[in-house]
Amino acid sequence: DAGVIQSPRHEVTEMGQEVTLRCKPISGHNSLFWYRQTMMRGLELLIYFNNNVPIDDSGMPEDRFSAKMPNASFSTLKIQPSEPRDSAVYFCASSPGADEQYFGPGTRLTVT
Amino acid sequence: RKEVEQDPGPFNVPEGATVAFNCTYSNSASQSFFWYRQDCRKEPKLLMSVYSSGNEDGRFTAQLNRASQYISLLIRDSKLSDSATYLCVVLTGGFKTIFGAGTRLFVKA
């Protein structure tokens, strides 16, 4: 079975550019989560969806961040404009319910 | 105060040792608890769920104390392959997931 798929795996961009991170959850899972991980702040929940509907986006740091889930098999996290402090590993995770979450391999974002 | 706090690491133990990690949470309404494991430059993976009655999976034992709002993880007979960061996870309100900062474990030969 394919796990959670994220793309790209690595992204290097210049400050001010738009960045779009993509996630394909495990088929049949109805919850999807976006996280950001840094050395300083650890793993932070940014937003989560249930049945494609955003439930809580209180973790989204600023209006520069937005997330969508147009269907059950695809989600995006967009940063516009990007800043150097956005550099982090961004994980997507999916879950069949409100329990075990399966994480993707992450996207390592570097903003110069 | 952080919502989920863990023992500061790193823990350096010899093979075969028993090691215990603790984690405290601040929201008494939290309803689900987990331990995840994260290897260097990899994604977190579920190690085990934590139930009020306590649960055991091989060399790993997890316990929950709701009155004192802490959970624990005990690893017996440590292996080199147990070296990783162990993350305490608390769910509140159904889906709101809060990860602890993690405790690093190094098991040495």
Side-chain angles (χ1 to χ4, degrees):
Chain A
D1 286 340
V4 175
I5 298 172
Q6 291 188 246
S7 65
R9 294 291 306 277
H10 301 273
E11 177 80 30
V12 180
T13 191
E14 291 183 348
M15 182 174 63
Q17 296 298 305
E18 177 179 295
V19 175
T20 299
L21 311 180
R22 298 172 176 80
C23 175
K24 177 178 171 55
I26 294 172
S27 178
H29 284 191
N30 56 15
S31 299
L32 184 140
F33 306 77
W34 281 101
Y35 293 90
R36 177 174 68 176
Q37 187 172 37
T38 61
M39 288 292 293
M40 291 296 293
R41 300 176 66 89
L43 200 60
E44 301 174 283
L45 177 63
L46 301 177
I47 184 172
Y48 59 91
F49 296 82
N50 185 240
N51 294 322
N52 311 339
V53 176
I55 303 299
D56 187 343
D57 64 355
S58 60
M60 297 284 261
E62 299 172 31
D63 290 345
R64 298 184 296 106
F65 286 70
S66 63
K68 294 182 179 179
M69 191 165 186
N71 57 61
S73 59
F74 184 66
S75 177
T76 59
L77 178 67
K78 185 176 293 186
I79 308 172
Q80 166 63 22
S82 58
E83 297 182 2
R85 59 192 168 125
D86 301 331
S87 297
V89 179
Y90 290 81
F91 288 106
C92 174
S94 70
S95 174
D99 43 32
E100 178 178 0
Q101 296 180 25
Y102 297 79
F103 282 73
T107 295
R108 187 170 297 274
L109 173 66
T110 302
V111 183
T112 60
Chain B
R1 180 186 174 190
K2 292 183 179 179
E3 292 186 76
V4 177
E5 295 199 67
Q6 295 188 234
D7 282 349
F11 283 59
N12 294 286
V13 303
E15 272 188 297
T18 295
V19 61
F21 305 139
N22 290 323
C23 168
T24 58
Y25 60 96
S26 61
N27 189 339
S28 59
S30 300
Q31 68 261 31
S32 300
F33 309 88
F34 307 89
W35 285 100
Y36 278 69
R37 169 193 169 130
Q38 186 174 24
D39 293 295
C40 189
R41 301 181 75 84
K42 297 288 188 179
E43 70 273 22
K45 293 184 179 179
L46 180 69
L47 179 65
M48 58 197 309
S49 302
V50 187
Y51 305 117
S52 297
S53 55
N55 49 304
E56 186 174 310
D57 183 3
R59 298 182 293 108
F60 298 83
T61 300
Q63 292 191 316
L64 166 64
N65 185 317
R66 285 190 181 273
S68 300
Q69 295 183 205
Y70 80 81
I71 68 174
S72 63
L73 177 67
L74 183 76
I75 305 175
R76 291 180 298 278
D77 189 24
S78 299
K79 311 292 185 188
L80 294 175
S81 57
D82 294 333
S83 297
T85 297
Y86 291 84
L87 301 161
C88 170
V89 182
V90 174
L91 261 66
T92 303
F95 298 97
K96 189 172 180 68
T97 310
I98 301 172
F99 278 74
T103 300
R104 296 191 72 182
L105 171 66
F106 295 99
V107 181
K108 299 181 178 181

